[in-house]
Amino acid sequence: MSLSLLFKPKFIPISLRFLPAISITFFSTLCPRKPHFSYPSIDPPFPKKLPFKVTVHGRSWDDPYHWMSNINDPDFVNFLSQENSYAEAFMADTRVLQRKLFSEMGSRIPAKISTPPERWGPLFVVFSITLFDFLVFEDALLVNLYLVIVLIIWLYYQHIPEGKEYPILCRRLDTEESTGLGSLFSSIKRGFKREEILLDWNEIAEKYGYVHMGACRVSPDHNFLAYTLDKNGSEQFALQVKDLRYGHIISSAKADAVVSLAWLKTDLLCSIPSLMITRDHTELGSNEEKIVFTERDSRFCVDVTCTKDGKFVTINSNSRSSSEVYVIDAANSFDSLHRVHKRVHGVQYFLEHHRGFFYVLTNHPSAEFEKLHCGNFYLGICRVEDINSADWQNIILPKKGTSLQDLDVFDENLVLYYDKEGSSMICSVNLPIDVNSKRIVEIEDLNPWTFPVPSELCTMAPGSNHDYMASVYRVLLSSPVMPDFVVEYDLCRRSFNVVHQEEVSCATESAQANSSKFGIDGEPLSNIRIDKCKRQEGQSPGILEAYGAYGEVLDKSWSSDRLSLLDRGWVVAFADVRGGGGPDPSWHQYGSGVNKINSIYDLVSCGKYLVNEGYATKGRLAAIGTSAGSLLVGAAINFHPDLFCAVILKVPFLDVCNTLMDDSLPLTILDYDEFGNPKIESQFERIMEYSPYDNINKGLCYPSMLVTAAFNDSRVGVWEAAKWVAKVREETCTSCSRAVILKTEMYGGHFSEGGRFGQSEEKAYEYVFLMKVMGLLDSSKH
């Protein structure tokens, strides 16, 4: 590319007038890095630059790519198109390997995928049946009338049909009749057990070219299905209500920008950004609605739920760090709205109901134990009539090293998620709990049953567990080295049963050799010792994944696609940095707000550790960050440009300061607690220390980069990825920046909503990019 394409002055300075056109390849001779791959024959695009000065707290700087935040600018759309073309050209020599990896990944996916049916009920249905006994008594025909009470249990499940991308939500009935008439009703039962298709994601994707489902709720009488649908990736979810008795969508039951849903008998509650409304669907075609609650503080979002037993509606108005809950007695409709506790900054609480008591999970203990407050959550309880009292009675105040994280309630059992000295655990205790003794107890004092889980590191995600009267609890267990399996824990018998385990078809030989059938009895999955790993992997390429925001635990669940890397000798590592989920809330606090830079330091330390300890080869370590996780990776390569040889930044949050200065964006105000408020000078200074877009090093060699974005992304603007790529190309080593590509999905949103094959295709593209820039294309073809 010639300089005349980079600069477009009204006149050419004398000093440049007689210089020959200089190609970008001239600068490659000055670059100390010798690329292991070929560049495309075309040059990367360079967008226009428009003057724009930013002034904050007395500091000023230029941002010539600010214009990109106007995504309707034709020049911006054209720039994204040019970048997509450049990315295609850059990856042209990898198409064969992409297809090979995609074929590998597809071969591991079972032809049919299904979830084990989950029971939800009971419903009592009364049949009135007349039977004629052919007996004559005083010249009259004897007629017997039978009332048959049938206990109906619904079985809900999902499955992906062979060859399809997306799941189908189905149900069938499982019945037991109380009359013992047996064979008389066998035909009725057979009819009940036929499969009903409630919702087919494939049909929606075919209709709109995109599918992103939000909330999906079945009414308590099992007659209606309410769900929300995003049709283009903007996350403006539209409400749809389907009458399951007749199989059609209720045309009048529609709303836009719906955040959450909850059913209460025949009332459907919908929350939109600042309102909670209710609709009555007892009569088809009714469009009657009324506003129940309004939140006037833009820092808080409204969410609506029902307690597990259906006796109360809870309206939750939450920010990133504070919560306020209102309750409505379901029996009194919406006439009585009671606030549980006045909003206090930093205080969070969530509640459930059980037999006249509210169980409250909160991070703020009652007054008499406030001196013990260390930021952990504890469990409190109060009678329903005392919910407005200033203090709740403490039940469980975790001891040092233990942190409560979540709860679920059933008629006879309470399920608790907690962390104990760095290990995630689940237990159940019998209900009701004796609340008359005023003493504080620990979990061990309640005779808990701790659920057996595998000894390997794993994630534990609850199933839907809708049925309040159930005595079993379903959990999905997974780890990077263990295919997902579903376990049902019998809370009364204190036993467990593995009801489903994901099949991995055509697993690679090395994966099969290094893995044994995993049991929940604590037997390890792999017999490979750490020291043996080090010796074998000292020359291995590696990937380090991180997120580190919002207190969210990094996803470390099983992915069969990852076998395509592991079988080729790659090392995959996960960095649980401060700012993400950890053993207690302090792990998040020390990596958020004014402490956000700690997350970046942690990621850098993890990367150096992998190289120094011989897990990955220096010069062949890559990093992957998604959304807020890209902030970590982008900042880390600014701090240490030579730590990673390649990075993948997916829907990246990189232009931190500019985004947080714009409070018209959907998440800006909510994110002040997480990243800081640049309108406050002291916090602005901390943000500017790490903001990736504002700290790019001029003239230095940067890693190869794959940056992905989505045009309709409402969480992280598509311009953030585009501005980052443009500025990296402008300011860093000209040769190295040719290995920076931007791939934008022009019809999609923040979340990759591809189906099972679409996700594998995306992974194959990412993995092959890393193989190419590390010079591993030839060795990866086998």
Side-chain angles (χ1 to χ4, degrees), residues 188-485:
I188 298 176
K189 291 176 64 177
R190 284 195 297 271
F192 282 157
K193 289 185 177 181
R194 71 179 186 275
E195 179 178 272
E196 296 181 35
I197 296 177
L198 307 185
L199 193 60
D200 187 339
W201 276 259
N202 298 283
E203 291 181 356
I204 297 172
E206 183 176 349
K207 181 177 181 180
Y208 297 108
Y210 179 85
V211 57
H212 183 186
M213 302 297 297
C216 188
R217 301 286 185 268
V218 178
S219 62
D221 61 7
H222 299 266
N223 288 332
F224 298 95
L225 173 69
Y227 60 95
T228 59
L229 177 63
D230 170 19
K231 301 174 184 178
N232 59 17
S234 64
E235 294 189 70
Q236 293 295 307
F237 290 94
L239 171 67
Q240 305 276 297
V241 179
K242 184 177 182 179
D243 188 327
L244 300 179
R245 299 168 299 181
Y246 305 102
H248 66 261
I249 301 297
I250 303 175
S251 59
S252 62
K254 293 185 177 180
D256 294 322
V258 176
V259 177
S260 62
L261 301 172
W263 282 102
L264 185 61
K265 296 181 180 178
T266 57
D267 286 309
L268 175 62
L269 297 93
C270 306
S271 68
I272 58 180
S274 61
L275 301 174
M276 200 280 284
I277 61 176
T278 178
R279 293 171 178 264
D280 186 351
H281 294 295
T282 54
E283 297 183 9
L284 296 180
S286 171
N287 196 31
E288 181 180 352
E289 68 179 38
K290 69 175 181 177
I291 296 176
V292 177
F293 173 81
T294 303
E295 174 57 74
R296 304 190 185 281
D297 191 331
S298 58
R299 297 173 301 170
F300 291 79
C301 291
V302 179
D303 177 65
V304 59
T305 60
C306 291
T307 56
K308 189 76 167 283
D309 60 3
K311 295 184 181 296
F312 290 89
V313 176
T314 62
I315 301 173
N316 313 285
S317 186
N318 300 321
S319 70
R320 299 287 190 201
S321 61
S322 304
S323 58
E324 189 170 67
V325 180
Y326 295 77
V327 295
I328 301 172
D329 188 335
N332 295 326
S333 188
F334 303 101
D335 297 329
S336 56
L337 181 68
H338 297 289
R339 183 174 63 185
V340 174
H341 198 283
K342 185 178 179 180
R343 183 179 294 161
V344 177
H345 179 73
V347 173
Q348 296 175 298
Y349 62 97
F350 314 91
L351 55 83
E352 261 294 352
H353 176 260
H354 182 268
R355 300 185 189 179
F357 289 90
F358 283 119
Y359 285 75
V360 186
L361 189 65
T362 178
N363 63 347
H364 191 74
S366 59
E368 60 182 309
F369 291 96
E370 193 165 357
K371 61 183 179 181
L372 300 177
H373 179 50
C374 60
N376 287 352
F377 280 80
Y378 85 104
L379 185 64
I381 191 172
C382 72
R383 298 182 186 275
V384 168
E385 56 269 23
D386 299 329
I387 190 62
N388 299 118
S389 63
D391 292 317
W392 302 308
Q393 180 180 343
N394 302 287
I395 292 184
I396 301 176
L397 195 65
K399 63 181 180 180
K400 186 177 181 180
T402 302
S403 175
L404 286 176
Q405 297 176 331
D406 204 355
L407 64 82
D408 201 350
V409 66
F410 296 84
D411 186 53
E412 295 183 351
N413 300 94
L414 177 69
V415 175
L416 297 172
Y417 284 73
Y418 63 103
D419 187 283
K420 185 174 182 180
E421 297 178 348
S423 298
S424 297
M425 308 184 78
I426 317 176
C427 74
S428 68
V429 297
N430 294 333
L431 289 178
I433 297 174
D434 181 10
V435 297
N436 294 319
S437 64
K438 298 291 183 179
R439 66 189 183 93
I440 300 298
V441 299
E442 297 175 354
I443 296 176
E444 289 74 12
D445 297 327
L446 297 173
N447 187 29
W449 176 45
T450 302
F451 293 1
V453 296
S455 59
E456 296 283 337
L457 175 67
C458 66
T459 60
M460 299 183 289
S464 52
N465 296 306
H466 289 299
D467 198 340
Y468 175 75
M469 300 303 296
S471 59
V472 295
Y473 189 76
R474 185 170 287 183
V475 180
L476 174 68
L477 301 178
S478 181
S479 89
V481 294
M482 178 182 69
D484 297 352
F485 65 98

Side-chain angles (χ1 to χ4, degrees), residues 572-632:
V572 179
F574 302 89
D576 279 315
V577 303
R578 285 172 289 180
D584 60 65
S586 67
W587 192 255
H588 172 226
Q589 295 163 7
Y590 292 139
S592 61
V594 296
N595 300 313
K596 184 59 192 174
I597 202 168
N598 289 336
S599 300
I600 302 156
Y601 292 154
D602 290 351
L603 178 64
V604 170
S605 296
C606 290
K608 290 181 176 180
Y609 176 85
L610 291 175
V611 173
N612 294 339
E613 294 297 315
Y615 289 103
T617 307
K618 182 175 176 59
R620 283 189 174 177
L621 177 63
I624 298 179
T626 302
S627 191
S630 295
L631 184 159
L632 299 183

Side-chain angles (χ1 to χ4, degrees), residues 482-502:
M482 178 182 69
D484 297 352
F485 65 98
V486 180
V487 182
E488 276 190 348
Y489 294 95
D490 191 312
L491 307 179
C492 296
R493 295 185 176 90
R494 298 196 168 188
S495 61
F496 65 87
N497 180 40
V498 177
V499 296
H500 178 79
Q501 183 159 21
E502 179 181 330

Side-chain angles (χ1 to χ4, degrees), residues 29-44:
T29 60
L30 304 178
C31 177
R33 293 183 180 175
K34 302 299 181 183
H36 306 287
F37 53 90
S38 60
Y39 292 115
S41 58
I42 63 173
D43 291 327

Side-chain angles (χ1 to χ4, degrees), residues 8 20 45 55 74 135 138 153 215 266 350 362 367 388 403 460 470 490 526 572 588 590 640 662 675 687 738 743 768:
K8 297 182 179 179
T55 301
L135 298 175
E138 296 182 354
I153 303 290
T266 57
F350 314 91
T362 178
N388 299 118
S403 175
M460 299 183 289
D490 191 312
S526 173
V572 179
H588 172 226
Y590 292 139
H640 298 275
D662 186 355
F675 303 105
I687 292 170
R738 295 194 73 195
K743 185 171 183 284
V768 172

Side-chain angles (χ1 to χ4, degrees), residues 105-163:
M105 295 171 179
S107 69
R108 300 187 194 104
I109 302 175
K112 297 180 181 179
I113 301 176
S114 63
T115 62
E118 183 170 355
R119 297 166 65 89
W120 186 9
L123 292 176
F124 295 94
V125 179
V126 178
F127 289 92
S128 176
I129 300 178
T130 303
L131 299 179
F132 295 91
D133 288 343
F134 293 98
L135 298 175
V136 177
F137 181 74
E138 296 182 354
D139 297 325
L141 185 65
L142 183 63
V143 178
N144 290 334
L145 177 66
Y146 292 87
L147 293 180
V148 181
I149 300 176
V150 179
L151 177 65
I152 296 177
I153 303 290
W154 286 101
L155 299 175
Y156 286 87
Y157 54 96
Q158 296 183 50
H159 71 91
I160 304 179
E162 185 172 357

